[in-house]
Amino acid sequence: MRIGVYVCHCGGNISDIVDVDEVAQFASHLPDVVVVRSISHMCSESGQKAIVDDVGEYRLDRVVVAACSPQFQGTTFEKTLLKAGLKPNMVEMANIREQSAWPHYEMPEKATEKAKVLTAMAVEKIRRAKPVERESMKIGKNVLVIGGGIAGIQASLDLANAGFNVFLVEKSPTIGGHMAQLSRTFPTEDCASCILTPKMADVAEHPNIHLLTYSEILEVSGSVGNFKVRIKMKPRYVDESRCTACRECEKVCPVSVPDEFNLGMTKRKAIYLPSSIATPHSHVIDADACLGIVPLRCGLCEQVCEANAINYDDMPKYINLDIDTIIVATGFDIFNAKLKPQYGYGKFQNVITALELERMIVEAAEGHIIRPIGKDIAFIQCVGSRDKQVGNLYCSRICCMYATKLASLLKRADPSRDIYIFYTDLRAYGKGFEEYYRNAQNLGIKFIRGRPGELMENPENKKVIVRVEDTLTRKIIEKEFDLVVLSVGLVPSKGTIEIAEMLKLPRSSDGFLKEAHPKFRPVDTPIEGIFVAGTAQGPKDIPDTVAQASAAAARAITLMNKGEFEMSPIKAIIDEEKCDGCGECIKHCPVDAIKMNGKAKINIPICKGCGACISSCPRDAIDLKIFSNDEIMAEIEAALKDKKAGEKRILIFADNICTYTLADGVGTAKMRYSSDAFIIRVPSSSRVTPKMMLKAFEMGADGIFLGECEEAVSPYPKTLKVIEENVKKVKDALSKAGIEPDRVQYSPFVTVMFPKFVNIANKMAEIANKYGNIPEEKRKKLNIVEVVE
Amino acid sequence: MTEVIHIEKKNVKFLQKVVELSGEEVTMCEQCGICTTSCPMAEEMDVSPAGIMRAVQIGDESVVESKAIWFCASCFTCTVRCPRGIDLAKVTEALRQLTLRKNVDHIDLDEVKKESLPAIALVSALRKFTG
């Protein structure tokens, strides 16, 4: 075995704190290490070349890079190893930047000591690693696009044009989404429906797109290349292929209900065309509003339908699809303005939302005046955005420009109008936005920097009184307006939240879907084969949405185009000689990847490699191919070796999705936590068995903590339960040996819980300090304590 | 005449002092002015609530001499509306403390006609005008 160790300076990020030469010196004495280098930027071309050269010159078969997080540069070095002719899993990274230099920047000596131990852990781990062949899997060309707004439309068209088979599922009776509701689009003022309808028609006519409107997804199982999707097509009661949209049925229908396309400001019939640009261009019967279909209570529409399109016997249809990749384009909802009661929305008749104004403008252009707009108009910005009081800290990004657009349209239509926009910060960041803002000011629209506290209604004329501090003159402005428009922000749509739960997609702290990497994988989700486009990922305007939709389509094509793709090498393996077919593991597998055929068999493409099955096996017959029992034990041993008396060592097992990412985030934010805490990366903390934990205590661990994804964001459901059971077993065993059971703990995390992570790392260290080291005689007892089954 | 404020070390120290006393990160204020329009006393104040926050941010110590901080009724409307979640009432109290801790009596209890004042005003006066 011949190992090369490379210590990275990270251009000072590491070397300003950690004594990298001391770490390199230390590493040169570790077993099997034949070459050690300390290099300014390991990830640079010259850094990578050093590895390739050394593999040739020193015949290295394993490499340790002591640098940043493996989540940050792991794949870089895996590729370097491939170039050097080694298997990609023969490199191990010691994360001495996020876990040492940054969180312990105030204690350079401790940071250096910790960096040494982290490096030793990586060396010991890689010594136990076995070269793993990457396996490939066949993949087809079927894509499910969820959501028929502009994002879903664009992604579907790109995929279909590239020759892929698209199933576009939309829950409402027409595609088009929010864009179909808009008047004009900033900053060019194109008519929104005029530029959208050709794309909608393309979708309907494209031979490669199967358009499933008025449909919802009931269930998704399986994984990339092998998703099983069950879809319910709700009954329309109107045959799309026959309906000519002549609207005769609407004339006779006796039922009127609020029209959701106009946000309830107008009425529609129970049989209706969802909008004038609806695609498919067909009526639909709203079964909830209709007087009765089963049994038939009215039947007037059928009598007047010359096309014979109405079918009261229509039933829901259920479709099962085999899907290879999924694009989630489930969009946004507007912020519910009633959650800011001080603005009186829903109570004052002249306070409306911007989307309502959009519909009023479109309808007015078609000759339907929904309500008078008036002369004196105020826009209030950041309603539901950038507001801790409603829990939305983010900027919704589009409101500054849509308010500017609506104000410009109204001012141009009637120059005698007096229009004010009350803003906190005006964000005109996009192409052509600043020029558009200038134009609006040139039109005479007044931008006042101040956020109104509350609105009042003049009881006599129902006008709305706005009182605001002009923060630039420090004077309070008060004025009566005919109309106040609330520039409401964007929130994740109900559908986005439901689909996230169904697909187990993690969401970021703002509630929108989380991307796999904020910079370099902006349209990938952490789950392979599932991509995200548009406002489901975060607030954005139409150009950004379209760009992202095309990007998501391209990423899906990248995965499917070759007809096969490389699977993650982290998979469970069964030792058939040890397995007696008891079936315990099946109960613990969160994704049903184990089948019993006399002995347990792993379904490789489905297995996610969490390792929850390992601790359930009474015969120790299961292991993981990467992150094997041997590798983890070697890391534990190295973390505890050379521990001096009185010194404390806490082991934090961190699942790779949430806790490890969180620890990286804490490090990057330079938040300090106890330098006695050592993080061990695992796919899921459920793979840490009670035996491992007890062995760690026996070897001198002062505390053990298991971090795991919160259920809602975990790609492996049910693992928390496995962890709970395992921790309980360890606590029992500790108690029997007379050791304090709270030395072992676990907790769920999401990636943004920075203070919680810091508190827990410090708390575990405090507990260890309070109790002191575990005396040797008690540790020896652990050896004979049987793990309670 | 536009006043010029030369930012020096003492300005930064003043900000730090107020942050320390109030426990609020005053630099978080984004100057939206919602506190001012929400404040029932704003019209009586020589410096608006948002103006007080700005003065503290730039370390303008003259704000301690303002009447505004004594007009504050501690009604907390600003606190519940601040989009950045700053507790402005605590900041204002911190500014009052800077004077109160000097232990100067601005009011002589013996000279106050007790029967002429509602009890609550007396308590308020004791709190605000004595050290």
Side-chain angles (χ1 to χ4, degrees):
Chain A
M1 210 171 283
R2 301 176 68 80
I3 303 175
V5 177
Y6 299 85
V7 184
C8 181
H9 302 185
C10 197
N13 275 316
I14 296 170
S15 54
D16 287 352
I17 313 291
V18 170
D19 186 338
V20 280
D21 293 331
E22 199 181 321
V23 175
Q25 184 64 30
F26 168 83
S28 65
H29 301 299
L30 293 168
D32 295 328
V33 172
V34 293
V35 54
V36 178
R37 295 190 194 282
S38 120
I39 287 176
S40 162
H41 285 99
M42 270 316 295
C43 55
S44 71
E45 212 181 324
S46 62
Q48 295 185 52
K49 191 167 172 290
I51 295 179
V52 179
D53 290 350
D54 288 351
V55 169
E57 196 179 336
Y58 295 93
R59 288 175 292 114
L60 301 179
D61 54 11
R62 282 164 171 76
V63 169
V64 166
V65 182
C68 54
S69 168
Q71 292 197 341
F72 195 67
Q73 292 291 8
T75 42
T76 308
F77 294 112
E78 286 178 7
K79 283 179 190 153
T80 311
L81 255 68
L82 269 177
K83 232 183 275 172
L86 295 178
K87 294 288 172 231
N89 73 315
M90 289 291 97
V91 59
E92 184 63 31
M93 292 188 76
N95 187 353
I96 62 171
R97 190 178 73 173
E98 280 86 341
Q99 289 177 10
S100 187
W102 280 348
H104 312 311
Y105 67 94
E106 287 192 330
M107 305 179 289
E109 275 167 31
K110 288 211 166 168
T112 304
E113 282 310 307
K114 188 173 171 184
K116 285 192 208 165
V117 177
L118 290 173
T119 309
M121 286 162 72
V123 168
E124 289 300 335
K125 185 180 179 193
I126 203 71
R127 287 180 72 215
R128 305 310 194 286
K130 296 187 186 76
V132 172
E133 285 288 343
R134 296 260 165 131
E135 282 181 66
S136 288
M137 203 184 105
K138 290 248 172 297
I139 189 164
K141 292 194 164 201
N142 294 324
V143 191
L144 173 72
V145 177
I146 309 174
I150 181 59
I153 289 172
Q154 181 68 33
S156 298
L157 287 173
D158 283 359
L159 284 159
N161 287 336
F164 291 82
N165 231 344
V166 179
F167 295 88
L168 174 56
V169 177
E170 165 59 47
K171 68 176 184 317
S172 60
T174 171
I175 56 170
H178 281 103
M179 187 178 170
Q181 290 178 294
L182 305 181
S183 55
R184 286 166 185 276
T185 57
F186 59 79
T188 44
E189 293 190 6
D190 309 276
C191 145
S193 54
C194 315
I195 57 174
L196 181 62
T197 38
K199 278 189 181 288
M200 289 163 71
D202 283 354
V203 166
E205 285 157 18
H206 206 294
N208 289 349
I209 299 180
H210 308 268
L211 180 56
L212 305 169
T213 52
Y214 216 28
S215 300
E216 54 191 34
I217 293 170
L218 297 179
E219 207 186 317
V220 178
S221 60
S223 55
V224 55
N226 192 19
F227 288 110
K228 304 276 180 211
V229 181
R230 190 167 163 75
I231 295 168
K232 177 188 179 184
M233 291 181 76
K234 290 183 266 185
R236 297 177 80 101
Y237 303 104
V238 179
D239 186 340
E240 297 162 44
S241 58
R242 290 188 173 184
C243 175
T244 59
C246 68
R247 311 196 100 153
E248 287 301 317
C249 50
E250 286 181 30
K251 290 180 191 157
V252 295
C253 179
V255 187
S256 281
V257 288
D259 182 356
E260 43 289 84
F261 193 71
N262 278 341
L263 305 146
M265 294 184 295
T266 57
K267 299 272 183 179
R268 64 161 169 84
K269 293 297 179 67
I271 185 165
Y272 68 108
L273 191 60
S275 84
S276 58
I277 57 167
T279 305
H281 205 61
S282 159
H283 278 64
V284 54
I285 293 181
D286 174 354
D288 294 331
C290 181
L291 286 179
I293 290 173
V294 187
L296 192 61
R297 295 243 172 86
C298 162
L300 286 175
C301 47
E302 191 187 24
Q303 291 167 24
V304 296
C305 183
E306 286 182 7
N308 274 332
I310 292 166
N311 170 19
Y312 297 120
D313 298 328
D314 202 0
M315 296 288 278
K317 292 181 201 65
Y318 295 90
I319 314 172
N320 294 313
L321 296 174
D322 287 320
I323 292 294
D324 298 294
T325 56
I326 299 177
I327 292 180
V328 180
T330 42
F332 68 94
D333 285 339
I334 58 167
F335 173 76
N336 176 7
K338 287 185 181 158
L339 296 176
K340 290 295 287 179
Q342 52 268 53
Y343 290 153
Y345 176 75
K347 214 162 60 186
F348 302 159
Q349 64 186 49
N350 289 317
V351 175
I352 63 166
T353 68
L355 193 57
E356 285 171 342
L357 181 59
E358 295 276 358
R359 290 311 304 157
M360 283 157 55
I361 291 175
V362 179
E363 289 287 327
E366 290 169 9
H368 316 130
I369 305 293
I370 293 177
R371 52 158 292 158
I373 288 172
K375 294 276 184 196
D376 295 342
I377 300 158
F379 288 83
I380 297 177
Q381 298 305 107
C382 298
V383 178
S385 311
R386 307 178 66 201
D387 188 351
K388 197 178 179 193
Q389 304 297 346
V390 296
N392 296 343
L393 295 185
Y394 55 88
C395 164
S396 289
R397 298 182 87 229
I398 61 169
C399 323
C400 285
M401 293 320 290
Y402 77 55
T404 304
K405 170 199 76 183
L406 288 166
S408 301
L409 293 177
L410 294 178
K411 182 79 177 172
R412 228 179 276 119
D414 179 355
S416 70
R417 281 183 173 139
D418 197 12
I419 304 181
Y420 294 78
I421 295 181
F422 297 106
Y423 69 98
T424 306
D425 295 295
L426 205 99
R427 292 174 176 177
Y429 56 90
K431 185 168 177 169
F433 289 10
E434 181 65 24
E435 294 88 328
Y436 193 59
Y437 168 38
R438 277 179 60 125
N439 276 345
Q441 287 180 307
N442 196 31
L443 280 171
I445 292 157
K446 286 154 215 160
F447 291 82
I448 308 284
R449 194 186 177 287
R451 196 168 185 157
E454 66 190 59
L455 304 180
M456 281 168 292
E457 189 179 56
N458 184 335
E460 279 155 29
N461 55 15
K462 300 291 176 192
K463 288 189 179 189
V464 185
I465 302 158
V466 176
R467 223 175 106 89
V468 64
E469 177 181 25
D470 175 8
T471 56
L472 300 181
T473 62
R474 292 266 172 246
K475 295 202 165 71
I476 293 175
I477 292 175
E478 200 174 289
K479 179 173 162 57
E480 219 170 61
F481 288 96
D482 299 323
L483 188 69
V484 171
V485 185
L486 303 180
S487 294
V488 283
L490 273 49
V491 297
S493 70
K494 203 167 144 264
T496 297
I497 296 166
E498 285 167 5
I499 293 291
E501 277 168 16
M502 193 184 290
L503 299 178
K504 298 279 173 203
L505 294 175
R507 296 193 282 142
S508 26
S509 60
D510 55 10
F512 293 93
L513 296 184
K514 189 176 182 337
E515 55 280 21
H517 189 287
K519 302 279 188 302
F520 301 126
R521 293 176 68 193
V523 297
D524 297 13
T525 69
I527 300 185
E528 193 155 35
I530 304 183
F531 306 92
V532 59
T535 49
Q537 182 261 345
K540 56 179 65 67
D541 63 1
I542 293 167
D544 283 3
T545 297
V546 171
Q548 208 183 31
S550 289
R555 290 292 294 159
I557 292 171
T558 310
L559 197 59
M560 294 183 292
N561 204 34
K562 276 190 288 184
E564 59 172 32
F565 77 99
E566 209 172 66
M567 279 188 290
S568 153
I570 308 173
K571 301 283 176 187
I573 38 171
I574 308 263
D575 184 338
E576 295 210 358
E577 279 180 18
K578 287 185 187 166
C579 175
D580 65 354
C582 71
E584 274 300 310
C585 49
I586 294 183
K587 292 182 211 157
H588 285 79
C589 178
V591 289
D592 292 331
I594 313 178
K595 291 274 172 303
M596 199 55 68
N597 191 359
K599 306 209 169 209
K601 280 255 178 313
I602 307 284
N603 185 339
I604 297 293
I606 295 182
C607 173
K608 294 196 169 202
C610 64
C613 49
I614 297 173
S615 58
S616 72
C617 182
R619 300 180 154 254
D620 294 334
I622 318 180
D623 204 347
L624 286 179
K625 257 195 209 166
I626 293 181
F627 295 108
S628 70
N629 292 331
D630 279 357
E631 288 172 51
I632 306 282
M633 277 318 299
E635 255 187 295
I636 295 173
E637 209 180 325
L640 303 170
K641 209 181 155 193
D642 304 331
K643 192 185 112 175
K644 294 175 202 86
E647 211 178 330
K648 307 292 181 312
R649 293 274 158 92
I650 310 294
L651 302 182
I652 297 184
F653 291 93
D655 80 283
N656 195 28
I657 309 265
C658 294
T659 318
Y660 199 86
T661 314
L662 170 63
D664 279 353
V666 167
T668 307
K670 295 201 168 69
M671 291 170 81
R672 288 157 290 172
Y673 57 87
S674 168
S675 60
D676 296 337
F678 287 80
I679 295 167
I680 296 179
R681 185 164 75 117
V682 286
S684 150
S685 280
S686 62
R687 78 91 52 242
V688 186
T689 62
K691 280 179 192 163
M692 268 180 185
M693 290 187 248
L694 290 175
K695 195 82 190 154
F697 279 118
E698 194 197 318
M699 288 190 291
D702 297 288
I704 291 181
F705 186 83
L706 305 179
E708 181 77 352
C709 275
E710 263 188 13
E711 187 87 23
V713 295
S714 173
Y716 331 109
K718 298 194 290 190
T719 48
L720 272 170
K721 223 176 148 262
V722 175
I723 293 169
E724 189 187 340
E725 282 169 20
N726 289 345
V727 167
K728 194 175 169 297
K729 282 178 193 167
V730 175
K731 280 184 188 288
D732 290 348
L734 289 178
S735 298
K736 272 193 194 165
I739 300 169
E740 301 81 3
D742 52 346
R743 285 182 189 262
V744 58
Q745 298 192 16
Y746 78 100
S747 178
F749 286 101
V750 295
T751 49
V752 291
M753 293 175 166
F754 288 20
K756 181 176 169 186
F757 180 87
V758 171
N759 286 344
I760 279 175
N762 290 339
K763 194 184 79 185
M764 292 305 294
E766 255 169 49
I767 288 174
N769 279 328
K770 192 173 82 186
Y771 296 144
N773 291 135
I774 305 174
E776 203 174 343
E777 66 275 11
K778 283 187 182 175
R779 283 197 269 138
K780 277 186 184 155
K781 274 193 211 163
L782 286 171
N783 214 349
I784 46 166
V785 171
E786 283 281 311
V787 178
V788 197
E789 290 299 341
Chain B
M1 215 171 67
T2 308
E3 193 188 342
V4 179
I5 300 171
H6 295 283
I7 307 271
E8 290 164 22
K9 274 224 172 86
K10 70 176 170 59
N11 297 60
V12 182
K13 273 201 180 133
F14 176 66
L15 167 65
Q16 284 167 348
K17 185 82 191 163
V18 177
V19 169
E20 193 187 329
L21 275 177
S22 64
E24 293 298 305
E25 292 299 336
V26 183
T27 42
M28 281 277 288
C29 171
E30 61 180 0
Q31 286 290 298
C32 70
I34 202 168
C35 43
T36 305
T37 43
S38 302
C39 179
M41 299 306 288
E43 283 170 47
E44 311 298 327
M45 291 177 171
D46 47 356
V47 188
S48 72
I52 293 173
M53 296 299 282
R54 171 56 102 214
V56 175
Q57 284 181 339
I58 60 172
D60 179 2
E61 281 182 84
S62 69
V63 70
V64 177
E65 306 301 323
S66 71
K67 290 199 174 68
I69 59 173
W70 304 100
F71 276 111
C72 164
S74 295
C75 71
F76 298 103
T77 314
C78 48
T79 301
V80 299
R81 288 204 179 145
C82 175
R84 285 292 177 91
I86 303 171
D87 191 337
L88 280 88
K90 278 194 184 157
V91 177
T92 321
E93 176 61 18
L95 292 171
R96 288 195 291 263
Q97 286 297 330
L98 286 173
T99 300
L100 296 177
R101 287 185 182 185
K102 287 181 188 152
N103 208 12
V104 181
D105 281 351
H106 295 269
I107 191 167
D108 186 352
L109 272 183
D110 294 331
E111 285 175 20
V112 178
K113 284 180 189 158
K114 291 173 189 80
E115 54 283 357
S116 67
L117 272 173
I120 187 76
L122 201 61
V123 173
S124 179
L126 279 172
R127 188 158 165 64
K128 284 185 177 173
F129 295 112
T130 62

